Amino acid sequence: MYYLSKSKYCKGIQCKDILYYDKHNPEEAEDTANSSVLENGTEVGELARGIFGPYLNVSFNEDLSKMLEETKKYLENENCIVTEASFNYDGNFCSVDILVKKNDKYYIYEVKSSSEVKDIYEDDLSYQVYVLRSLGLNVEGAYLVHINSSYVRGEELELDKLFTIEDLTDLALSKQDEVKEKIKEIKDYMDEDKEPTVDLSDKCNSPYACPYFEFCKRKVGIKENSVFDLSWTRFSKKLKYYNQGIITFEDLLEANNKGSKPALTPNEKLQVEGVVYGLGDSINTDGIKSFLDGLTYPLYLLDFETYMQPIPEIVGTRPNQQIPFQYSLHIINSKEDLKDLDNVTHKEFLAEAGTDPRRAVAEALVRDIPMNVMSMAYNKSFEQGRLTELAAAFPDLSSHLLNIRDNIVDLAEPFQKKNYYNNAMEGKHTIKLVLPALFPNDPELDYHNLDQVHNGGEAMSIFLEMRNMTPEEVEITRSNLLKYCGLDTFAMVKILSKLYEVSEDIKKKVK
Ligand code: SF4
């Protein structure tokens, strides 16, 4: 008989084939969840355990019968709070995050690190209610405990304010027949153990991006450059094409030319035509020139690194607030400097791990960037958001920080407006795609060639891990963080140079 758990039940709700592939083809699963998100989830779960006061914890054991035994022992108490209380009814196992027993009545609390209620959480809770009620327990309440994103931390962390509790009792009770049927359906399917017939549908992307999507696509013969590779398109629109038999970029173009619906947007058309017709660079020189004409020098190219914590450590911050801890700054005094990049100055700042980095970052910024100069970022809204937050946190530096914020231009703009496009950008304008598209095979600009830190997610995790490192490890890690962030703004310098080059404003080829 196939055994179910909370997570298997939820996967089965999304698509039973996920459970089949987990059993037979787990190596085909692609990583769709960031490990730091999972770690944060564990951290939140552990903290939430204390939300109602002292509790008894059932420790994890590979041998689930041990967890069942420990639970039974704890629940001999008339009134108690048990975390990870574990139950098994007819091959349906579940561990309840927080179980409150009061006068022979039971209250189930499921903890999530997200700040919103998703439908799948309701299924998760309903399954737990089903297991406990089937075992004859008198379940009086079923609740979801999740992060309150508007909570602002004070001197003490207030658990009752950090978490929001939603009462989902009525909903969970109303779903009990559905849970029973669904469990039977999943178990029958898994016991049959038959190779699935792939049926791509909206479930492949909801409630989560399925880790087997690429595998399933391959199984139905979908190759590269299909409707599913359209960059600016909602999943539902891609499915609409797919269900009409419009699969390849060639199909898309043919259907679009015949006027079939839904029509391709200009961005989609650019991406599809670029591939189908094998077009090279598409450059709108006037558009690029107009962007470059708006620049003033000296120009300060800025990039922040930030971290986020679901449980805010710093007084005055919210859960998952972006906390800047590092920046890189390349300074170009005049556009002529771009003929020889040795003339470009570089400054940088990296805070000490384990401290509130914001004041140090703000002070360094106002020291490095004067008032009333033009700064540049790639996707400027991110840098502007952080500057706004720093200004609010430090009123004495506020006018200078807001002055920097209000004078930022966006290097992404020419790519967003498709004034410069080629197929390697895959229809997008992120710097991680634009850079190799403009400078293919340039080892100096290849993030893969860096040590330890290759993207913003890694920078965030590694900065937080640094507080537990030895001084020698900290020294190496700091150097790698500086190289990573430095490459972000150096890449901006190179991209800017390239724009001048293609606009023929600087005739001499940039080094
Ligand atoms: S990709 Fe779609 S069909 Fe394949 S396992 Fe995932 S949800 Fe099911």
Side-chain angles (χ1 to χ4, degrees):
M1 185 175 62
Y2 186 73
Y3 285 86
L4 271 183
S5 63
K6 280 196 295 190
S7 64
K8 282 183 179 173
Y9 177 76
C10 291
K11 284 182 185 181
I13 291 277
Q14 178 168 359
C15 172
K16 295 187 290 294
D17 298 349
I18 299 177
L19 297 173
Y20 180 92
Y21 296 136
D22 274 350
K23 184 176 170 193
H24 295 284
N25 309 85
E27 71 289 351
E28 300 292 351
E30 297 200 350
D31 193 7
T32 49
N34 180 319
S35 63
S36 78
V37 170
L38 295 177
E39 279 163 24
N40 285 340
T42 314
E43 200 189 333
V44 169
E46 284 175 5
L47 183 74
R49 285 176 182 172
I51 195 168
F52 303 120
Y55 59 88
L56 300 160
N57 181 52
V58 174
S59 34
F60 177 75
N61 198 310
E62 295 271 348
D63 179 356
L64 300 180
S65 67
K66 296 262 184 315
M67 296 179 75
L68 300 177
E69 273 170 35
E70 204 177 344
T71 302
K72 209 169 156 201
K73 190 178 81 194
Y74 289 157
L75 291 182
E76 281 167 8
N77 292 300
E78 203 176 315
N79 295 318
C80 57
I81 298 169
V82 183
T83 59
E84 300 304 317
S86 302
F87 302 91
N88 181 18
Y89 169 70
D90 197 23
N92 302 302
F93 179 84
C94 75
S95 290
V96 177
D97 290 340
I98 307 170
L99 182 68
V100 177
K101 182 184 177 194
K102 214 172 177 181
N103 305 327
D104 253 345
K105 290 180 179 152
Y106 292 82
Y107 304 84
I108 296 174
Y109 293 84
E110 170 69 15
V111 180
K112 296 291 180 197
S113 58
S114 93
S115 57
E116 57 189 25
V117 181
K118 296 183 184 150
D119 289 352
I120 196 74
Y121 300 163
E122 299 168 358
D123 292 310
D124 192 333
L125 253 177
S126 305
Y127 170 80
Q128 296 174 58
V129 171
Y130 174 79
V131 173
L132 269 69
R133 277 170 45 112
S134 301
L135 288 166
L137 299 181
N138 184 7
V139 178
E140 276 282 304
Y143 308 88
L144 186 76
V145 180
H146 64 89
I147 293 281
N148 167 16
S149 57
S150 55
Y151 169 65
V152 178
R153 183 186 170 129
E155 287 296 335
E156 299 295 324
L157 189 65
E158 301 140 300
L159 291 190
D160 57 330
K161 292 189 183 144
L162 171 64
F163 292 107
T164 296
I165 299 177
E166 309 259 356
D167 185 349
L168 299 181
T169 310
D170 290 346
L171 197 131
L173 289 174
S174 73
K175 277 182 163 245
Q176 291 304 293
D177 288 345
E178 194 188 309
V179 175
K180 189 174 176 183
E181 273 169 37
K182 200 71 202 177
I183 289 176
K184 182 174 176 344
E185 203 186 299
I186 294 171
K187 289 193 169 188
D188 287 351
Y189 186 80
M190 291 305 289
D191 287 340
E192 201 184 11
D193 209 24
K194 217 170 99 194
E195 177 80 26
T197 311
V198 174
D199 170 27
L200 298 181
S201 69
D202 52 6
K203 71 184 179 221
C204 303
N205 197 47
S206 172
Y208 304 108
C210 177
Y212 294 104
F213 189 60
E214 291 305 316
F215 179 55
C216 284
K217 265 170 56 190
R218 284 201 301 279
K219 284 184 84 174
V220 290
I222 297 177
K223 301 199 177 73
E224 239 190 3
N225 296 323
S226 78
V227 285
F228 294 107
D229 297 313
L230 286 172
S231 293
W232 290 101
T233 310
R234 284 190 320 278
F235 193 79
S236 56
K237 187 176 175 189
K238 294 175 185 182
L239 264 181
K240 232 176 232 167
Y241 286 128
Y242 174 73
N243 290 330
Q244 290 173 49
I246 300 169
I247 310 223
T248 65
F249 276 9
E250 283 82 0
D251 295 343
L252 267 173
L253 214 49
E254 197 185 324
N256 194 63
N257 290 341
K258 284 184 187 155
S260 64
K261 300 287 174 206
L264 288 172
T265 63
N267 276 351
E268 288 168 345
K269 205 159 173 250
L270 189 70
Q271 182 184 1
V272 171
E273 284 184 340
V275 171
V276 173
Y277 300 137
L279 303 177
D281 286 353
S282 156
I283 297 173
N284 171 4
T285 319
D286 289 344
I288 293 175
K289 263 183 181 299
S290 132
F291 172 77
L292 295 174
D293 287 347
L295 303 182
T296 60
Y297 290 84
L299 186 61
Y300 290 71
L301 280 60
L302 173 67
D303 182 73
F304 282 134
E305 297 304 325
T306 60
Y307 68 80
M308 290 165 24
Q309 293 174 306
I311 304 163
E313 277 182 354
I314 301 172
V315 173
T317 62
R318 295 182 315 279
N320 293 319
Q321 182 173 329
Q322 302 268 6
I323 309 288
F325 62 88
Q326 176 180 14
Y327 66 81
S328 172
L329 189 67
H330 272 88
I331 304 163
I332 307 169
N333 284 311
S334 94
K335 66 181 181 183
E336 296 303 309
D337 282 358
L338 291 169
K339 292 175 185 169
D340 179 355
L341 297 191
D342 287 342
N343 295 329
V344 176
T345 314
H346 182 231
K347 293 190 176 182
E348 58 195 354
F349 179 82
L350 172 57
E352 294 298 323
T355 60
D356 175 357
R358 296 171 307 155
R359 177 79 199 183
V361 167
E363 285 179 357
L365 272 173
V366 300
R367 197 172 54 233
D368 285 346
I369 306 180
M371 297 267 272
N372 303 319
V373 295
M374 182 174 277
S375 296
M376 175 178 271
Y378 202 99
N379 281 336
K380 68 178 182 178
S381 60
F382 183 77
E383 272 67 26
Q384 287 179 317
R386 305 302 70 80
L387 285 160
T388 306
E389 287 157 2
L390 288 175
F394 306 111
D396 57 320
L397 304 176
S398 156
S399 59
H400 195 139
L401 290 166
L402 294 179
N403 183 274
I404 298 172
R405 179 198 68 179
D406 295 340
N407 287 301
I408 297 187
V409 288
D410 200 335
L411 182 58
E413 188 190 302
F415 304 99
Q416 192 171 11
K417 288 183 172 170
K418 307 292 179 230
N419 286 327
Y420 195 150
Y421 179 74
N422 72 32
N423 291 337
M425 295 179 201
E426 299 174 14
K428 299 182 186 154
H429 61 268
T430 64
I431 194 163
K432 298 291 186 285
L433 281 169
V434 165
L435 188 64
L438 299 187
F439 303 95
N441 308 318
D442 185 338
E444 191 185 29
L445 297 173
D446 190 343
Y447 285 83
H448 297 100
N449 293 335
L450 295 174
D451 289 328
Q452 200 180 9
V453 191
H454 309 89
N455 56 55
E458 288 181 359
M460 165 163 81
S461 313
I462 286 167
F463 181 74
L464 290 170
E465 284 164 23
M466 250 169 49
R467 55 179 81 178
N468 300 319
M469 290 181 186
T470 64
E472 294 74 29
E473 288 170 334
V474 167
E475 198 184 332
I476 295 168
T477 303
R478 283 185 67 85
S479 156
N480 289 333
L481 278 167
L482 290 171
K483 279 183 200 149
Y484 166 72
C485 193
L487 181 53
D488 273 346
T489 47
F490 180 67
M492 287 165 62
V493 174
K494 294 284 284 187
I495 291 171
L496 184 62
S497 305
K498 188 71 160 184
L499 291 179
Y500 276 112
E501 189 187 320
V502 297
S503 77
E504 296 180 344
D505 200 18
I506 290 181
K507 300 279 185 203
K508 186 174 168 190
K509 195 160 174 35
V510 176
K511 239 179 30 166

